[in-house]
Amino acid sequence: MNIDSKYIRNQFPILEQLVNGKPLVYLDNAATSQKPLSVLDAEEVYYKTINSNVHRGIHTLSQLATVEMEESRKSVQLFINAKKDYEILFTKGTTEGINLVASGIEPLVHEGDEIIISNLEHHSNIVPWQLLAERKGLVLKVIPIDDNGELILSEYDKLLTEKTKIVAVNHISNALGVVNPVEQIITKAHAVGAYVLIDGAQAVPHKEIDVQALDADFYVFSSHKIYGPTGVGILYGKEKLLDAMNPYQGGGEMIKEVSFEKTTYADLPFKFEAGTPNIAGNIALKKAIEFMLNVGLDTIGKHENNILNYATERLNELNNITIYAQHAQHRSGAISFNLNIDNIHSSDVGFILDKQGIAVRTGHHCAQPVMKRLGITGTIRASFAVYTSKEDIDRLIEGLKLAQKMLE
Ligand code: C6P
């Protein structure tokens, strides 16, 4: 089915404004996507009608808020096909989800054990593992990438040993838009008895995720990249593992009983949800999921792939441009490139585009090891969403032509 672009754009009033006197072209969706009216309304309705704390109150408002938040958890469960709703934990975002696992998993790892990550990771999927490795005396290994920005799987095979305890890789690279073969990565990791965390921050916006079919042990993503509120994330974890892990934070809501001698912890998912959560945001996430399901995950994915192909084609029309990972087998959601002009930084181009109302991200995209591998300091990244149109890409190309004229 094709996208009804008029209907969709009407859901996103923010897109209808002028920025620097020009109609906004928003191509920074990998950083965060815009929010449809239903999500904005859900937050407002919550605060106007049932604002109260969850899981604590006997009173009506608290019970209504609790029901809504738990319904949202259920909608996430169905969205990614988790077995149980209590395998879905609300977090602040992908970053917190990964930190939670890297901290909570301590009882399951021992000195000398090995963690495998990749050269393609966001800093959020590097630093928490480095911290764990330092605390517990673990060894961190890195799957290299080739010149297409693709993981070298034969090297992954060599890194896997009986000491490998954790493999943590992204599903889609935020810096290059490369889709990783996570199915294969998971199967191979399980063959040596390792647990696998998939950073799905850039995948959930663009494709259907089935955590049971993938057999991922942990799958993390952020609400704000799938049209939902900021400050909300999801960590899916297999029940058995979550049960065996330490709580991440101590505090209210995550306990069964507290005494000065000994504290016992609440059952899943509450063991990992200390303190008052982002209730409005957690509730509104359900509306973001409904929005995506109403449009259709397949329809969204196909539309964004068409846009990616069109952007690739049009960028190739420009002279003196380097497009990264354009020959990778599978790409999705974003395209990274640089104008080959001496002594300029990607941000110089970003600045000129911004003056024309075009929002892109420039720099290292919180993925410095990727930039180092490519021998550059940063890229210009255009990233897409359900509302991105070919006209947006045409505007980008015009903007880049102007940048070339001004900077060459
Ligand atoms: N990438 C980008 O512009 P948070 O900030 O916790 O919602 O997500 C962190 C994160 C983790 N993994 C990947 C693959 C990501 O892309 C991100 C966020 C944004 O590329 C902001 S740095």
Side-chain angles (χ1 to χ4, degrees), residues 81-384:
N81 194 30
K83 214 184 260 175
K84 307 279 192 225
D85 56 1
Y86 51 76
E87 292 176 320
I88 302 297
L89 312 183
F90 283 117
T91 65
K92 282 195 311 205
T94 304
T95 304
E96 190 177 52
I98 299 172
N99 277 279
L100 188 158
V101 176
S103 161
I105 206 157
E106 278 197 17
L108 304 182
V109 294
H110 303 97
E111 194 176 337
D113 284 348
E114 296 171 356
I115 305 170
I116 298 179
I117 57 173
S118 90
N119 195 166
L120 210 48
E121 300 311 311
H122 186 280
H123 299 161
S124 293
N125 204 24
I126 300 173
V127 186
W129 304 114
Q130 286 175 323
L131 291 168
L132 172 64
E134 277 167 27
R135 284 196 306 274
K136 295 282 289 186
L138 311 187
V139 180
L140 191 68
K141 294 171 153 185
V142 182
I143 311 169
I145 53 175
D146 62 20
D147 293 340
N148 284 330
E150 292 179 297
L151 299 182
I152 306 177
L153 288 183
S154 54
E155 294 297 322
Y156 172 55
D157 290 341
K158 290 185 207 155
L159 295 179
L160 282 165
T161 72
E162 75 282 358
K163 285 191 177 165
T164 311
K165 271 287 143 60
I166 298 162
V167 174
V169 292
N170 64 55
H171 200 158
I172 297 183
S173 150
N174 71 312
L176 303 179
V178 172
V179 183
N180 289 319
V182 290
E183 296 82 357
Q184 274 189 63
I185 290 172
I186 293 170
T187 307
K188 289 180 176 186
H190 284 168
V192 299
Y195 309 123
V196 185
L197 177 140
I198 302 295
D199 171 354
Q202 300 295 345
V204 183
H206 307 298
K207 62 198 291 191
E208 191 171 347
I209 303 300
D210 181 333
V211 290
Q212 289 190 75
L214 282 176
D215 200 19
D217 298 293
F218 303 99
Y219 198 99
V220 286
F221 62 99
S222 299
S223 144
H224 70 93
K225 296 190 202 285
I226 61 162
Y227 313 103
T230 52
V232 175
I234 295 298
L235 162 60
Y236 157 80
K238 285 182 182 164
E239 177 180 3
K240 197 173 63 170
L241 287 170
L242 293 175
D243 272 336
M245 280 162 52
N246 279 343
Y248 178 48
Q249 293 181 324
E253 258 316 285
M254 51 76 71
I255 54 90
K256 254 192 190 120
E257 233 181 282
V258 175
S259 73
F260 290 120
E261 290 71 40
K262 184 167 172 60
T263 290
T264 50
Y265 306 127
D267 292 333
L268 295 176
F270 308 115
K271 171 180 158 187
F272 291 102
E273 294 183 356
T276 302
N278 180 350
I279 304 168
N282 291 352
I283 289 173
L285 171 58
K286 180 171 179 225
K287 295 293 174 191
I289 289 173
E290 279 170 7
F291 167 77
M292 289 184 77
L293 293 175
N294 283 342
V295 179
L297 300 180
D298 206 43
T299 308
I300 295 174
K302 280 191 185 132
H303 172 75
E304 289 165 344
N305 279 343
N306 284 340
I307 294 288
L308 176 60
N309 290 338
Y310 183 68
T312 309
E313 203 181 290
R314 294 252 28 220
L315 285 169
N316 273 303
E317 290 169 14
L318 298 178
N319 295 323
N320 297 327
I321 186 168
T322 302
I323 302 173
Y324 302 99
Q326 72 166 319
H327 301 300
Q329 261 187 335
H330 301 287
R331 295 183 299 140
S332 184
I335 188 161
S336 248
F337 55 92
N338 272 322
L339 299 182
N340 302 329
I341 304 170
D342 286 344
N343 301 320
I344 65 151
H345 188 268
S346 54
S347 59
D348 298 328
V349 180
F351 184 76
I352 294 172
L353 291 175
D354 178 54
K355 290 288 163 250
Q356 297 168 77
I358 303 163
V360 293
R361 186 169 173 187
T362 59
H364 56 63
H365 314 299
C366 301
Q368 286 180 355
V370 178
M371 301 303 136
K372 192 168 176 203
R373 168 63 180 81
L374 298 175
I376 52 179
T377 54
T379 74
I380 304 155
R381 182 189 68 186
S383 52
F384 316 123

